[in-house]
Amino acid sequence: MSGIRQMLKPTDWAGLAYFLLAAQFITVITLAASAAPGYQLRDGAISDLGVIAETALLFNAALLLVGLLNLLGAYYAYRLERGRLLFGICGIASLGAVGASLLPLSTGGWHGLFALLAFVFFNLEIIGQAMRTDNAALRWTGLVLATIGLVHVVVMAVGDAGSSLVFGPIGHGGVERLIVYPPMLWLMVYGGFRLGRPVPAA
């Protein structure tokens, strides 16, 4: 273990944490949606997978891991870059994921609050990370993904408030995935970008 620690730099640990976070969560929610009896992608909330007996343990464990790995990645990035604002944004995003995993949908309002924190702050995290990278293509990719995610947070809020027509043909489930997938796709790409970097991103 000590040998691995010597081989991997803080930027490698950050990249590895971010990549594993996204890869495991996308894999789990895809498999869980296939395994959950009667679950429909169009109308089912992602958090429904956390209360269906066949998928609850798997989903909630994966969501907890999202929060912990995000905090780990943010810690190693902060050691290098000292970006306090970004570290705070990552911390709130992680709190949202951990809270939503420990308080599943069946617990009521607290789950919704933690989920909203995760929805908003994981997409804000994209912006913070994108703006600190020295790669212009990656920066613009991040900004586009964050815009998609944040716009659909608003769409979901409007739809859940009673105007369900705003969901269109993709339904609540599709809109929610357009909130969750942008950060996951970003963190897979950004994690790979950070792996093996000789210096932290500017």
Side-chain angles (χ1 to χ4, degrees), residues 136-163:
L138 188 61
R139 186 183 308 124
W140 281 107
T141 298
L143 294 176
V144 169
L145 286 171
T147 299
I148 293 171
L150 291 170
V151 164
H152 283 89
V153 169
V154 176
V155 172
M156 187 182 68
V158 172
D160 286 349
S163 303

Side-chain angles (χ1 to χ4, degrees), residues 50-63:
V51 295
I52 297 172
E54 290 83 354
T55 59
L57 180 60
L58 178 64
F59 174 81
N60 290 320
L63 185 55

